[in-house]
């Protein structure tokens, strides 16, 4: 089996994991903007679901490594190579942040939730403050991850255009790239009236187009 085919299969496998992760996080009711005390209660109430969701959603990004390498070799040409080189750097940044930092922070939050569930009220306040710091760090890391993935897809779109691929493929790459970027921005602007929700909707539409 060729590396390009393996990369394509990895990308197809990543898309449902991304969707499952989004739905599962919605069921748990925790995101990087959740209040620390509320997040600890919800994580504890969800049991193993949070840890499973955290692993699927963030470690699933490792599948993008063979996908990115497969696209690199598939699109290689004198005109496309510069875009591929820049895009691959952004991809590895996004995967390192997502599969490394954000996953680890999620596991740490699960551990704090376990300790907090049996702690005294005074200790719970300290754990809630710790959870707040954890979630704000996740917020920044998720922005970096989304920007990295978005810029990677934009570079792939530029490379596909340079390689002479059909315009509709380039358009999907542009839509997906902008979707990731807007989704990342919405995570830090969601408390801003109008701007956050608009970015979230536009980002979601871009992600849907990327999945198509």
């Amino acid at each position: 089996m060729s590396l390009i085919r393996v990369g394509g299969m990895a990308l197809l496998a990543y898309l449902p994991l991304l969707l499952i992760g989004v739905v599962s996080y919605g069921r748990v009711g925790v995101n990087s903007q959740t209040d620390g005390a509320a997040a600890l209660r919800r994580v504890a109430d969800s049991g193993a679901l949070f840890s499973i969701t955290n692993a699927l959603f963030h470690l699933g990004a490792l599948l993008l490594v063979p996908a990115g390498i497969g696209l690199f070799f598939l699109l290689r040409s004198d005109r496309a190579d510069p875009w591929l080189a820049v895009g691959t750097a952004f991809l590895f940044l996004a995967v390192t942040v997502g599969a490394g930092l954000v996953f680890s922070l999620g596991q740490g939050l699960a551990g704090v939730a376990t300790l907090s569930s049996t702690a005294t009220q005074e200790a719970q306040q300290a754990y809630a403050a710790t959870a707040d710091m954890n979630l704000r760090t996740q917020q920044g890391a998720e922005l970096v991850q989304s920007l990295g993935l978005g810029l990677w897809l934009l570079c792939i779109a530029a490379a596909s255009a340079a390689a002479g691929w059909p315009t509709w493929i380039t358009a999907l790459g542009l839509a997906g790239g902008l979707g990731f970027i807007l989704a990342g921005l919405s995570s830090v602007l969601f408390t801003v009236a109008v701007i956050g929700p608009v970015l979230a909707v536009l980002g979601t539409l871009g992600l849907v187009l990327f999945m198509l």
Side-chain angles (χ1 to χ4, degrees):
M1 184 179 295
S2 68
L3 178 60
I4 293 175
R5 181 169 294 181
V6 170
M9 293 173 61
L11 185 58
L12 290 175
Y14 174 68
L15 297 182
L17 286 181
L18 182 64
L19 181 59
I20 291 171
V22 170
V23 173
S24 297
Y25 268 116
R27 289 187 60 187
V28 175
V30 174
N31 58 54
S32 57
Q33 292 188 329
T34 306
D35 172 74
L40 292 179
R41 289 194 301 271
R42 294 170 187 173
V43 171
D45 290 342
S46 69
L49 177 61
F50 178 81
S51 294
I52 294 172
T53 300
N54 184 46
L56 287 175
F57 193 61
H58 297 298
L59 293 183
L62 292 171
L63 292 171
L64 292 175
V65 174
I69 293 174
L71 284 171
F72 181 90
F73 285 106
L74 184 63
L75 288 167
R76 286 198 67 183
S77 69
D78 291 339
R79 296 179 62 186
D81 279 356
W83 290 109
L84 291 173
V86 174
T88 301
F90 281 123
L91 173 63
F92 288 150
L93 169 65
V95 170
T96 300
V97 171
L101 178 58
V102 182
F103 169 73
S104 299
L105 288 169
Q107 290 299 98
L109 184 65
V112 173
T114 300
L115 294 173
S116 177
S117 62
T118 57
T120 63
Q121 185 173 359
E122 183 178 352
Q124 286 179 347
Q125 293 177 351
Y127 285 133
T130 301
D132 272 326
M133 293 177 61
N134 179 296
L135 291 166
R136 299 298 84 77
T137 304
Q138 282 195 49
Q139 191 176 57
E142 287 170 357
L143 174 60
V144 172
Q145 181 185 20
S146 294
L147 291 178
L149 289 175
L151 291 170
W152 168 60
L153 283 175
L154 292 179
C155 288
I156 290 298
S160 66
W165 282 27
T167 304
W168 67 270
I169 294 181
T170 301
L172 286 181
L174 288 172
L178 292 175
F180 272 110
I181 291 172
L182 292 174
L185 290 175
S186 72
S187 70
V188 296
L189 295 176
F190 216 91
T191 55
V192 180
V194 179
I195 296 178
V198 169
L199 291 181
V201 170
L202 291 176
T204 301
L205 289 175
L207 294 179
V208 169
L209 288 174
F210 171 61
M211 290 181 180
L212 295 177

